[in-house]
Amino acid sequence: MMKKYFILSGILALGLVSCEPELENSIEDEGFYSNGEADFSNYVALGNSLTAGYADGALYLSGQKNSYPSILAAKFALAQDTEEFMQPYVSDDFGGLLYSGQPIAATRYVLSVDANGNPMPVRYSATPTTEVTAKVEGPFNNMGVPGAKSYHLVAPGYGSVAGVAAGTANPYFARFASSESTTVLADALAQNPTFFTLWIGNNDVLGFATSGGAGEYQLNNTDFATYGENDITDPNAFAFVYDQIVQNLAANAEGVLINIPNVSSIPFFKVVPVNPIPLDAATAGALNAQFGAYNTMILPGLVQAGVITQAEADSRKITFSEGAGNFVTLVDEDLTPLASILMGEPFNLDAQTAGLLSQLRQANSGDLIPLTAASFIGTTVNNNPMLVNGVSVPLGDQYVLTSGEQEMIADATVKYNAAIAGVAQAYGLGMVDANALLDQLGNSGISMDGVSVNSTFVTGGAFSLDGVHLTPRGYAVIANAIISEINETYDASVPRANIGEYPTVTLDQGVQ
Amino acid sequence: MKRLFLLGLLILATASTYAGGYRVSLQGQRSLAMGHTGVAVVNNAELAFFNPAGLVYLENKINAAVGVSAVFSDVVWQNEQYGEFARTDSPVGTPFYAYFSYKLSDKFTLGFAAYTPYGSSVEWPTDWAGSHLINNIDLKAIYVQALASYKISDKLSVGAGPIYVNGSVNFNRNLSRNLTDLEGNRSNVTVEAKGVHAFGWSAGLMYSPIDSLRIGVNYRSEITMKAEDGSADFMNVPNSPLTPFNDTTFDAELPLPAELTVGLSYQLNEKWLFAFDYNRTFWDTYESLDLDFADPNIPDSKNPRNYKNSSIYRLGLQYTANETFQLRAGYYFDQSPVQSGYFAPETPRNDSNNFTGGLSINVTDKVAIDAAFLYSRFEEVDESYDYYQENGQNVSFGGTYKSSAFVPGLGVTIKI
């Protein structure tokens, strides 16, 4: 009898062992996915805000958790044993920065419903809690530094806490730089990365673009020290610095380079139309009367005098009509300055009027209006109904990206991308055409995983509420493009992200 | 000796399941050990569940059978395309039964039964890839039944009785694949209904054309559990009028389907008894799990299930070794009611092969201990649920599933 019990118990125990369900080909088994010729064991990402996971006008915790390097690292870990992916997390989900207790960066945008029931992006109402001077201990695999341009990655002191106050260093990098004098690249290399991604150069044109062209195209100027914040980096200088960065990274690692999207693909320039001004018949009539002499006498007179061409005269005509769809007026620094001429014979205009007309024109369909102008156009100066911004008061340089300025950006972008492609080839690295990808998001959009993603502001799913940076879902799209490139270039089989599972814009009423 | 065996069973208490859908076929240790056959087996008070017509054939004046099982069931899921993997960590289910019969006369026996034929307890990791369909569920239904069994002749008997059901459900899932609050916490809802009750009935017939052969038929009616004014508790919802998810109440219906069983038992000789049961479960009544929220701003939740009727084929053997021991073994094939494309992770069950075994030890003339175990073997399956909607578009959720179930159980039979 005893023996029987034992046999029975044995059978039951056997049953137990086979009870935990195990899949025949579990993805947790080694060798299910392959890292191919790449080694993901220590992945380091370099870049700017896009790499850091910045979204909605701020760097905040859940944005960082959904950064594309973080998404990638999680997938890499399925293909190979990897080291833990470390990120320099900020302290909260509000976003914003403090420097010695003083706010120096604003909180994130959230989509908030206003009193009239309209959803609007508004800054979240909270005091930031991330203190720049409270350094976080690295090393960090995500070396994305919001605001960084190409040459900043090799700029000593870019992470100096003291330099932040002086305006020579970056507060985000200062939080986690290993020393006052180090560079982003040096801190990255110190980790001996086995694999890297590099997405840098966006800010080399983006600052100029989002400022409405309030900067210079530093063509043939290779002295970065002389560059202003909103300047476009010289393409040759970019190519030199870029090659220097990649040469260092690629010495002991494989990697993927990501190129620069056209700024025209971001919603930041698609939300506000160039002709958003509605006018009633009386106002349109009054404005036309105001500009009548300018259109019919002054401009032809200037052409006759040989001061401007007929083409410029045509571009400078100001006309309004009843109804919606009047183009804004603006000051275009590329037009011939006329103030002093207009103050002289035969026009004899007063200084104020001459100043107004000096570089005045109406926008045309080739111009782009930055999102930042949305809350400015149509407001009045000193509550004077005769002084309407964008109408009777022309928009300043920062509120219009003229076609001439767009050409400079496009020229630089093409040259940067040519440099990136050349470097990728020279070092045998993968390259992701983010430019084409974001164009696709801007045109037809991308459908996968049961969702359609496109660049439409607020509702498209790809771009966050600042109109420049991606949402977690948008970053997942980038991550998938990088995975595809890795799988192709390095003969790996890394699974991709399910973009439908990633958040888009955040709704919240926690605003003032 | 007994202690050793009990210890063995307890140690085993660490593994896995169920029948198709949310049916839990664990209504008697003796029957379970024989592949959960019993519609034509006269053995003990388990007949109250399997076929009340047979109660009148029990020899003793008072019969009782009580028992409980420990259900260890787990599911593993993965999606190769995305490298996603999840494993349930479901709490141990403890379905029980308690049956009594009292012989009033040679022709008439009264009975009482309490049992738990429906239930589901599944717990996925919170916020796993399928969390928009389910994070966890705990579904319970207790059947209480009064019975009468009447012997028309020595060959033919009938039995029947009304059923009172009391049930509860607690279910949590995320509101969508990606909605979160400001901190990135996933928005989710817990619906809970308790004390839901309803009535039904069961009836059976037993016929014995010759001494060694019994034939049985049993029918248990469908019972629709209507949850009214259950609570719907929304968590981590963004602070915004654009998401109208405020706590509210809900109404919902869940059918506990009718089941028809026909079967036979054959006494080969003094030692060997053979039994065969065929179950047909009328699952097609379960078309959709719909939650009707009281708050008109919250869209009702429609979850098509489209179950189909399913069959179970059961075989059982009993060997009476001596006056003390009876050994049993059984097998059944359980066809899943879930149709392709409707494979929801709350009851991820495909067809299963089930192996059972057990024994009874007659401690005294009046008391026996019954032990049984069930091992359910599910084939690995690539399946999906294709009827989840996001922005009016069907979004498929699928992958490779594998489940297993291991159920040890203990019971006591008393005859006075």
Side-chain angles (χ1 to χ4, degrees):
Chain A
M1 263 316 111
M2 180 99 173
K3 202 173 162 192
K4 240 177 199 168
Y5 290 148
F6 279 124
I7 291 169
L8 193 63
S9 298
I11 292 168
L12 290 173
L14 256 162
L16 170 69
V17 169
S18 58
C19 266
E20 280 287 302
E22 295 293 340
L23 294 165
E24 283 159 32
N25 290 299
S26 173
I27 64 162
E28 294 191 320
D29 292 344
E30 204 167 313
F32 190 94
Y33 299 109
S34 164
N35 55 312
E37 293 149 19
D39 177 0
F40 305 123
S41 55
N42 191 18
Y43 162 50
V44 175
L46 286 90
N48 47 46
S49 50
L50 293 163
T51 297
Y54 192 99
D56 302 311
L59 189 67
Y60 55 89
L61 207 49
S62 58
Q64 289 181 294
K65 287 177 180 164
N66 286 311
S67 68
Y68 76 81
S70 170
I71 296 170
L72 285 177
K75 301 299 178 185
F76 290 164
L78 292 162
Q80 190 186 351
D81 279 342
T82 58
E83 288 178 28
E84 191 184 352
F85 190 80
M86 304 297 289
Q87 301 196 90
Y89 287 122
V90 296
S91 310
D92 57 52
D93 272 292
F94 315 141
L97 293 176
L98 298 174
Y99 186 86
S100 297
Q102 295 302 308
I104 57 163
T107 56
R108 68 193 279 192
Y109 288 105
V110 288
L111 192 66
S112 171
V113 176
D114 69 14
N116 301 321
N118 297 315
M120 296 285 282
V122 184
R123 294 274 185 189
Y124 187 73
S125 172
T127 305
T129 62
T130 305
E131 172 60 50
V132 171
T133 59
K135 289 186 86 96
V136 285
E137 198 64 35
F140 294 104
N141 298 80
N142 189 338
M143 297 293 297
V145 177
K149 298 185 181 188
S150 57
Y151 52 88
H152 288 142
L153 300 192
V154 293
Y158 191 58
S160 158
V161 173
V164 172
T168 58
N170 182 300
Y172 295 97
F173 187 42
R175 275 188 74 237
F176 68 92
S178 65
S179 73
E180 287 283 285
S181 60
T182 188
T183 68
V184 176
L185 180 63
D187 275 8
L189 291 171
Q191 302 178 53
N192 297 317
T194 60
F195 195 84
F196 69 94
T197 57
L198 176 65
W199 196 5
I200 196 72
N202 313 68
N203 290 327
D204 293 66
V205 285
L206 198 62
F208 180 86
T210 55
S211 68
E216 303 290 323
Y217 188 4
Q218 296 283 4
L219 212 49
N220 299 323
N221 177 4
T222 57
D223 184 3
F224 300 124
T226 62
Y227 283 18
E229 195 188 343
N230 296 327
D231 291 354
I232 299 176
T233 307
D234 171 48
N236 288 322
F238 172 88
F240 176 79
V241 165
Y242 198 89
D243 181 80
Q244 191 188 338
I245 296 165
V246 174
Q247 188 180 22
N248 278 285
L249 289 168
N252 293 302
E254 302 288 3
V256 170
L257 311 179
I258 302 137
N259 74 4
I260 311 302
N262 290 316
V263 295
S264 57
S265 65
I266 61 177
F268 189 79
F269 291 111
K270 290 183 172 174
V271 177
V272 184
V274 288
N275 56 345
I277 313 286
L279 293 173
D280 57 34
T283 313
L287 286 166
N288 282 334
Q290 200 183 328
F291 288 105
Y294 170 70
N295 290 336
T296 58
M297 297 175 71
I298 296 176
L299 291 175
L302 290 167
V303 174
Q304 217 161 21
V307 178
I308 58 173
T309 63
Q310 183 61 47
E312 181 170 344
D314 290 344
S315 78
R316 298 182 64 132
K317 278 185 182 168
I318 310 284
T319 53
F320 294 97
S321 56
E322 182 190 357
N326 284 287
F327 287 89
V328 295
T329 59
L330 62 116
V331 175
D332 183 348
E333 61 182 2
D334 290 333
L335 294 177
T336 310
L338 300 176
S340 55
I341 296 167
L342 293 173
M343 284 165 73
E345 291 290 336
F347 308 107
N348 295 324
L349 296 179
D350 61 86
Q352 196 188 347
T353 311
L356 170 72
L357 297 177
S358 180
Q359 292 181 313
L360 180 72
R361 73 170 168 91
Q362 218 162 357
N364 59 60
S365 51
D367 296 320
L368 292 173
I369 310 293
L371 182 56
T372 40
S375 56
F376 180 74
I377 293 172
T379 57
T380 55
V381 180
N382 300 328
N383 289 324
N384 182 346
M386 297 308 291
L387 298 176
V388 181
N389 287 311
V391 188
S392 48
V393 179
L395 296 177
D397 198 21
Q398 75 269 33
Y399 287 126
V400 185
L401 195 66
T402 65
S403 47
E405 291 165 339
Q406 292 170 48
E407 277 168 28
M408 288 187 261
I409 293 167
D411 180 67
T413 306
V414 166
K415 287 173 177 162
Y416 296 170
N417 283 345
I420 292 169
V423 169
Q425 197 168 18
Y427 295 95
L429 301 168
M431 198 205 75
V432 168
D433 192 350
N435 186 14
L437 187 65
L438 293 201
D439 270 349
Q440 195 188 343
L441 282 173
N443 298 324
S444 55
I446 292 174
S447 287
M448 60 165 80
D449 303 329
V451 290
S452 298
V453 191
N454 61 60
S455 298
T456 308
F457 190 53
V458 177
T459 58
F463 280 89
S464 72
L465 296 171
D466 59 26
V468 175
H469 297 92
L470 300 167
T471 60
R473 183 170 288 174
Y475 285 125
V477 171
I478 290 289
N480 281 343
I482 296 171
I483 288 169
S484 296
E485 178 65 18
I486 287 169
N487 287 344
E488 200 170 313
T489 307
Y490 298 111
D491 197 26
S493 62
V494 177
R496 58 184 197 81
N498 184 350
I499 64 168
E501 294 172 6
Y502 291 85
T504 58
V505 300
T506 300
L507 314 170
D508 206 283
Q509 293 296 102
V511 295
Q512 278 162 346
Chain B
M1 190 94 338
K2 271 166 231 153
R3 279 180 62 193
L4 181 70
F5 181 71
L6 291 177
L7 194 66
L9 277 181
L10 285 174
I11 290 168
L12 290 171
T14 49
S16 336
T17 262
Y18 294 53
Y22 38 92
R23 174 81 169 90
V24 188
S25 280
L26 300 166
Q27 275 71 53
Q29 304 304 355
R30 292 193 175 186
S31 309
L32 177 63
M34 295 174 69
H36 212 255
T37 58
V39 74
V41 178
V42 176
N43 209 327
N44 68 352
E46 290 172 21
L47 277 162
F49 171 82
F50 286 90
N51 189 350
L55 286 174
V56 75
Y57 292 121
L58 290 174
E59 285 170 10
N60 299 73
K61 191 166 179 70
I62 294 171
N63 289 278
V66 297
V68 62
S69 297
V71 178
F72 302 93
S73 94
D74 274 301
V75 189
V76 58
W77 167 90
Q78 74 178 20
N79 182 305
E80 291 180 22
Q81 192 183 7
Y82 306 124
E84 293 172 325
F85 183 92
R87 185 186 283 279
T88 58
D89 184 17
S90 302
V92 179
T94 52
F96 67 89
Y97 60 87
Y99 308 119
F100 301 94
S101 75
Y102 181 78
K103 194 186 284 269
L104 278 180
S105 69
D106 183 47
K107 281 188 171 297
F108 199 58
T109 296
L110 291 177
F112 171 83
Y115 49 97
T116 55
Y118 290 96
S120 182
S121 187
V122 178
E123 189 148 345
W124 290 96
T126 302
D127 298 336
W128 72 297
S131 56
H132 55 293
L133 298 175
I134 175 178
N135 276 313
N136 57 67
I137 186 171
D138 186 17
L139 171 71
K140 288 183 180 132
I142 297 173
Y143 279 44
V144 178
Q145 190 166 17
L147 291 158
S149 182
Y150 181 70
K151 191 194 285 183
I152 296 169
S153 74
D154 281 347
K155 290 180 184 298
L156 184 67
S157 67
V158 292
I163 298 171
Y164 166 81
V165 183
N166 195 302
S168 66
V169 66
N170 183 301
F171 177 79
N172 175 276
R173 71 169 172 85
N174 289 354
L175 292 182
S176 78
R177 289 191 294 168
N178 67 323
L179 188 67
T180 72
D181 65 9
L182 185 87
E183 277 90 34
N185 302 311
R186 299 281 297 273
S187 307
N188 65 84
V189 61
T190 301
V191 295
E192 183 166 36
K194 284 178 183 167
V196 183
H197 53 90
F199 289 93
W201 56 274
S202 82
L205 186 140
M206 195 177 275
Y207 176 62
S208 183
I210 54 172
D211 279 355
S212 53
L213 181 69
R214 290 184 196 277
I215 297 168
V217 181
N218 190 63
Y219 180 81
R220 195 168 303 96
S221 74
E222 176 186 341
I223 299 173
T224 302
M225 301 299 284
K226 288 187 183 175
E228 283 171 354
D229 297 330
S231 66
D233 181 14
F234 291 89
M235 294 279 290
N236 302 337
V237 175
N239 163 25
S240 170
L242 298 172
T243 47
F245 300 109
N246 298 306
D247 290 357
T248 184
T249 62
F250 76 96
D251 294 347
E253 282 186 16
L254 186 75
L256 305 176
E259 194 172 274
L260 176 70
T261 306
V262 297
L264 58 85
S265 73
Y266 186 71
Q267 190 78 44
L268 277 84
N269 53 41
E270 278 191 2
K271 289 190 179 299
W272 290 95
L273 176 73
F274 166 81
F276 169 79
D277 276 17
Y278 168 79
N279 292 123
R280 184 74 173 166
T281 312
F282 300 96
W283 281 110
D284 64 352
T285 184
Y286 191 32
E287 291 172 356
S288 185
L289 177 61
D290 298 336
L291 271 59
D292 177 12
F293 293 110
D295 185 337
N297 294 319
I298 301 176
D300 292 341
S301 169
K302 310 264 183 206
N303 305 284
R305 290 293 179 261
N306 206 18
Y307 273 27
K308 65 177 183 198
N309 295 337
S310 68
S311 298
I312 308 175
Y313 304 88
R314 304 177 182 279
L315 295 170
L317 272 178
Q318 175 176 279
Y319 175 72
T320 305
N322 53 42
E323 287 197 351
T324 309
F325 291 101
Q326 282 182 308
L327 302 175
R328 303 185 185 90
Y331 163 84
Y332 65 91
F333 175 76
D334 189 352
Q335 200 179 49
S336 173
V338 182
Q339 306 208 55
S340 188
Y342 291 91
F343 208 85
E346 88 213 9
T347 46
R349 315 243 177 271
N350 50 328
D351 297 349
S352 61
N353 288 291
N354 300 266
F355 305 91
T356 69
L359 80 170
S360 290
I361 304 164
N362 293 312
V363 182
T364 69
D365 284 352
K366 294 189 167 72
V367 179
I369 290 176
D370 307 317
F373 75 86
L374 160 68
Y375 169 63
S376 297
R377 184 182 151 74
F378 297 83
E379 290 297 324
E380 197 169 298
V381 63
D382 289 325
E383 261 298 353
S384 61
Y385 184 71
D386 301 336
Y387 299 90
Y388 167 76
Q389 287 214 328
E390 210 169 272
N391 303 320
Q393 197 182 343
N394 280 356
V395 178
S396 179
F397 174 81
T400 308
Y401 288 89
K402 187 167 192 174
S403 35
S404 74
F406 185 76
V407 187
L410 275 180
V412 179
T413 293
I414 297 166
K415 42 188 183 174
I416 301 166

